[in-house]
Amino acid sequence: PSSLNDDEFAMIKNHPVSGYDRMMGMDMKKLNVRTLASIARQHHEHMDGHGYPDHAKGGQIHKYAQIVAVADVYDALTSSRAYKKAYPPHVAYKIMTKCSGKQFNEDLLNTFFDHVAIYPVGCILKTNWGLGIVKKVRAGLTRFPILTIFTNTHNDLLETPLDIDIADYGLEAIHSVMDDMEVFSTIRKLGVDPSQYLLNDEES
């Protein structure tokens, strides 16, 4: 129920080799067993050689294992565990991009996040203009959502909401993502649920 101690982590680090051995012993005629087994063995290797179990690096790591490594870490970060809460996508993005080139293949990491909503539809952002709700996310431009701004910078409700494409202004226009408690407090203060702007957009 808590973080792993050194002995427990050492035991966990055996799973890539155990998976490799088991898969190499399987009879799967229509599948490339060696490729699948290599993924199992190498999905915790790092591009700079600091992973495990073999300290493989760069081109020594199977391309499919490099892909799975990205997906595996993202899943771990955005899932709840006994010892931690799930991180939201934008936090996982920040953590993983700091490891780009060291732990992950940079091109594969960028491709992954080009197709994963860093700011999912419905999340509330603090911006240069006030509070905005994400109304649209586009492949290749996931860092630059389209928002409906519904307050000014003093958190006063706007009479006419404003649609903004962050791609026209740059990432510095986004200050932060509101957490659940902040959103709840804002809804109580304004007497308006921002999700109504998404419903209005769908109806139009």
Side-chain angles (χ1 to χ4, degrees):
S2 60
S3 299
L4 301 175
N5 61 37
D6 291 344
D7 290 339
E8 290 168 337
F9 186 53
M11 184 181 297
I12 287 292
K13 289 173 70 173
N14 289 328
H15 81 269
V17 174
S18 297
Y20 173 85
D21 290 341
R22 289 188 66 180
M23 296 187 80
M24 287 298 289
M26 296 174 70
D27 181 19
M28 296 184 287
K29 296 179 181 179
K30 293 185 178 181
L31 297 175
N32 187 331
V33 174
R34 185 167 293 279
T35 296
L36 296 176
S38 294
I39 294 171
R41 187 180 188 105
Q42 295 188 322
H43 70 286
H44 285 297
E45 299 288 2
H46 294 180
M47 297 302 291
D48 64 1
H50 285 88
Y52 64 89
D54 302 310
H55 304 291
K57 62 181 179 179
Q60 297 173 337
I61 307 170
H62 196 288
K63 192 66 168 283
Y64 291 170
Q66 295 178 32
I67 293 171
V68 171
V70 172
D72 181 63
V73 171
Y74 182 81
D75 179 67
L77 290 173
T78 56
S79 298
S80 294
R81 296 287 189 264
Y83 52 87
K84 76 167 189 70
K85 294 181 179 180
Y87 290 120
H90 71 280
V91 174
Y93 169 74
K94 289 181 180 179
I95 292 171
M96 294 178 70
T97 51
K98 285 183 179 179
C99 302
S100 181
K102 297 178 181 179
Q103 183 170 348
F104 306 111
N105 177 309
E106 186 172 2
D107 291 336
L108 292 176
L109 187 66
N110 288 335
T111 298
F112 178 81
F113 279 113
D114 278 345
H115 295 83
V116 170
I118 298 168
Y119 305 108
V121 170
C123 74
I124 309 297
L125 307 182
K126 297 178 182 178
T127 75
N128 286 351
W129 306 273
L131 301 181
I133 185 167
V134 177
K135 64 180 289 187
K136 187 174 183 180
V137 180
R138 298 156 293 180
L141 290 171
T142 56
R143 300 158 186 81
F144 305 96
I146 295 175
L147 312 178
T148 295
I149 305 297
F150 58 90
T151 77
N152 60 24
T153 54
H154 300 293
N155 288 354
D156 299 317
L157 200 63
L158 297 177
E159 289 187 13
T160 304
L162 174 68
D163 283 351
I164 292 287
D165 187 343
I166 295 298
D168 294 334
Y169 299 93
L171 288 177
E172 61 275 8
I174 297 175
H175 298 176
S176 63
V177 180
M178 295 185 76
D179 62 30
D180 292 344
M181 290 304 297
E182 288 179 303
V183 172
F184 179 71
S185 176
T186 298
I187 290 174
R188 288 189 64 183
K189 175 179 178 293
L190 297 176
V192 171
D193 184 344
S195 65
Q196 74 177 40
Y197 300 112
L198 301 180
L199 296 174
N200 292 342
D201 186 62
E202 289 177 0
E203 291 170 359
S204 61

